[in-house]
Amino acid sequence: MQEQFNNVKQSAIIDLENVSSMREINDLKVKYVGKSGLVTSLLRTMKDIAPEMRSTFGKMVNDLKEEVLSLFAQKETLLKEKELKERFEREKIDVTLPGKSQTIGSLHPLNIVKNKILNAFCGMGFEIFEGPEIDTDYYCFQALNIPKDHPARDMQDTFYFTENILLRPHTSPGQVRTMENKKPPIKILSPGKVYRADDDASHSPMFHQIEGLVVDKGVSLCDLKGLLDEFVKIMFDDDTKTRFRPSFFPFTEPSVEVDVTCCKCHGKGCSLCKGTGWIEILGAGIVNKNVLEMSGIDSNEYSGLAFGLGVERITMIKYGISDIRTLFENNVKFLKQFNRR
């Protein structure tokens, strides 16, 4: 009987020597102390033992079970120590190596410039109104003194959904909606995306505009000049000057194109300004009386000024970008140049 117990114990020792994982130990526990294990099955032979020896036999089985479990526990401790050591080896960190810096995101250059433009005008008392990107022909054209047969419609290729519904080609409808719903004095900016069927190095089918409108008593071209003089100093530098050139826009009369001294050569002439010393940045003028009247404002009592600029154009001038498509390519190397600006 003692020999049988010794054989079971010796078998457990041999099996444990070949164990290399906790999973194998669990399998051995089932083999030896499970419901049908070698140690457990010894108790089933109790019926073949003489009654006076059963107590001793039972104690021997329990002692064997404890010894086998003790062997398992020792092996488990050794395996856990080994696994922990291997894990530490795998996950060790060389503290002498340079650290990995966390990549920090930044604003897109268009948003940098847009925010600077908005902040400049908001600092001068302007409010912001954002209108719908899909609008009606009335608000995009007719209310801006551009009837259906007006030749000015040929100045821009528009995306139409139906004869009356279109993607707005400018943010001017926001100005009209404001004049319809608010009595003067009015001083608003209307920023947003606009759409035109145009695509080359200096034009995009989708781009961003910011248009401004001031309506009050006695508003004149002098007010427009003073306003834009202050804006370009904030946008570029204190030495930047503006000049007005006569132009035509149905929305304004008189109308002007606004140039600024080149931000690169400061008026001396360079490749950016093509040797002229000046760069065109926006269109502006005094609000046409017809537009005021169609919006319900008495043009005999009030006058207004309006201006519109392209965010992409200002961005390209400010950062010396030659192709507008660069701004929409999402090239990370390009965008990193503007980090934290």
Side-chain angles (χ1 to χ4, degrees):
M1 184 169 58
Q2 184 63 48
E3 183 180 357
Q4 184 182 10
F5 282 27
N6 290 337
N7 289 340
V8 173
K9 180 179 178 181
Q10 193 63 33
S11 176
I13 292 172
I14 293 172
D15 285 344
L16 284 171
E17 286 178 354
N18 299 318
V19 166
S20 60
S21 68
M22 293 298 297
R23 180 176 180 179
E24 291 177 355
I25 285 184
N26 291 330
D27 291 341
L28 284 180
K29 282 184 179 180
V30 174
K31 177 180 178 181
Y32 285 94
V33 296
K35 289 184 178 181
S36 301
L38 296 177
V39 176
T40 309
S41 62
L42 290 173
L43 292 174
R44 295 175 186 157
T45 63
M46 186 82 73
K47 63 181 183 300
D48 301 325
I49 304 298
E52 64 273 13
M53 293 296 294
R54 288 179 181 174
S55 177
T56 302
F57 181 80
K59 184 177 183 305
M60 291 174 68
V61 173
N62 288 331
D63 290 343
L64 175 61
K65 183 177 181 179
E66 289 180 6
E67 288 179 17
V68 172
L69 289 175
S70 177
L71 292 171
F72 287 151
Q74 292 173 24
K75 190 66 176 181
E76 285 177 355
T77 300
L78 292 174
L79 280 177
K80 286 179 180 178
E81 290 176 353
K82 180 183 177 183
E83 289 179 359
L84 188 61
K85 185 177 180 180
E86 291 175 349
R87 179 183 172 189
F88 286 160
E89 188 66 26
R90 286 195 311 271
E91 298 179 0
K92 71 178 180 180
I93 299 173
D94 185 350
V95 295
T96 64
L97 290 174
K100 294 181 180 179
S101 59
Q102 185 69 34
T103 302
I104 300 175
S106 61
L107 289 176
H108 191 280
L110 287 176
N111 285 328
I112 294 173
V113 172
K114 182 188 75 172
N115 291 344
K116 191 166 185 177
I117 295 171
L118 294 178
N119 289 338
F121 284 113
C122 287
M124 291 185 269
F126 280 77
E127 298 177 304
I128 295 176
F129 174 85
E130 296 187 15
E133 293 181 25
I134 298 176
D135 215 325
T136 64
D137 184 90
Y138 174 79
Y139 282 107
C140 289
F141 292 117
Q142 297 176 49
L144 297 172
N145 199 37
I146 313 175
K148 288 187 177 295
D149 58 349
H150 199 289
R153 292 204 181 203
D154 297 334
M155 296 171 62
Q156 46 195 288
D157 296 322
T158 308
F159 291 104
Y160 281 89
F161 293 106
T162 67
E163 185 178 351
N164 189 48
I165 305 298
L166 61 147
L167 285 171
R168 65 183 181 188
H170 40 225
T171 58
S172 300
Q175 300 180 23
V176 176
R177 292 176 186 276
T178 300
M179 287 189 289
E180 286 182 342
N181 294 284
K182 184 177 181 179
K183 293 182 179 180
I186 295 170
K187 200 173 187 181
I188 64 132
L189 293 175
S190 183
K193 296 176 183 177
V194 296
Y195 305 85
R196 297 180 189 176
D198 207 353
D199 185 19
D200 55 39
S202 57
H203 299 87
S204 172
M206 184 283 297
F207 58 101
H208 300 78
Q209 267 193 351
I210 297 177
E211 299 195 21
L213 173 72
V214 177
V215 178
D216 204 347
K217 294 179 180 179
V219 174
S220 69
L221 210 58
C222 293
D223 297 305
L224 177 63
K225 184 72 164 63
L227 182 72
L228 295 180
D229 280 347
E230 184 63 25
F231 164 68
V232 298
K233 286 178 171 58
I234 296 172
M235 199 67 218
F236 299 104
D237 59 50
D238 291 339
D239 297 326
T240 305
K241 296 179 175 60
T242 64
R243 74 175 182 186
F244 285 2
R245 290 181 291 106
S247 187
F248 166 76
F249 305 112
F251 182 70
T252 53
E253 179 61 38
S255 303
V256 294
E257 297 281 1
V258 182
D259 301 333
V260 295
T261 48
C262 177
C263 57
K264 183 178 179 180
C265 67
H266 299 285
K268 296 178 182 179
C270 67
S271 58
L272 180 62
C273 61
K274 299 179 181 179
T276 65
W278 296 90
I279 298 176
E280 178 190 330
I281 63 165
L282 58 88
I286 298 302
V287 179
N288 193 299
K289 289 187 176 183
N290 291 337
V291 175
L292 293 175
E293 294 291 344
M294 281 189 287
S295 298
I297 295 176
D298 187 350
S299 61
N300 293 318
E301 184 178 1
Y302 295 100
S303 58
L305 62 85
F307 57 88
L309 53 88
V311 179
E312 281 80 0
R313 178 161 181 79
I314 300 295
T315 303
M316 292 170 70
I317 293 170
K318 188 172 178 63
Y319 296 121
I321 299 169
S322 59
D323 193 325
I324 192 173
R325 290 167 290 199
T326 308
L327 295 169
F328 302 104
E329 289 175 349
N330 293 326
N331 185 316
V332 175
K333 289 184 178 180
F334 169 76
L335 296 176
K336 278 184 177 179
Q337 300 177 78
F338 307 91
N339 189 32
R340 292 294 185 183
R341 290 191 183 186

